[in-house]
Amino acid sequence: MTNTPSNDPALNNSAEQLTLMEQLKQVELFNGRAAMVGIVTGIVVEGLTGFGIAHQIGLGALVDGYAACRTQFLPFCF
């Protein structure tokens, strides 16, 4: 049995449930806004530098290796 707000005996009070749901809503709103800011920042930096988001976070070698393998610039694929 999972511990959802409706099953949790500590949250039987509806005021506590409303407070919990309001806090959850605010946290999710903040997370969504932070994700949007991160994506827009990554796209702007990509436009200015020419390096994609994968390169910005350090995964460029994996992407480059895959692209080279797909275009057959490497004699082997990993």
Side-chain angles (χ1 to χ4, degrees):
M1 178 182 270
T2 61
N3 239 357
T4 61
S6 60
N7 294 339
D8 193 351
L11 295 175
N12 285 336
N13 189 351
S14 63
E16 290 177 8
Q17 285 181 340
L18 290 174
T19 303
L20 180 66
M21 293 306 291
E22 184 63 32
Q23 289 174 348
L24 181 63
K25 187 188 298 184
Q26 289 181 356
V27 167
E28 288 297 326
L29 187 63
F30 178 79
N31 286 342
R33 289 177 178 167
M36 288 186 275
V37 168
I39 291 295
V40 169
T41 302
I43 291 171
V44 168
V45 170
E46 181 177 354
L48 293 174
T49 64
F51 292 109
I53 293 177
H55 285 86
Q56 294 173 27
I57 62 173
L59 298 176
L62 294 175
V63 174
D64 291 342
Y66 177 75
C69 184
R70 294 295 295 164
T71 57
Q72 299 179 6
F73 289 133
L74 293 176
F76 59 93
C77 294
F78 43 89

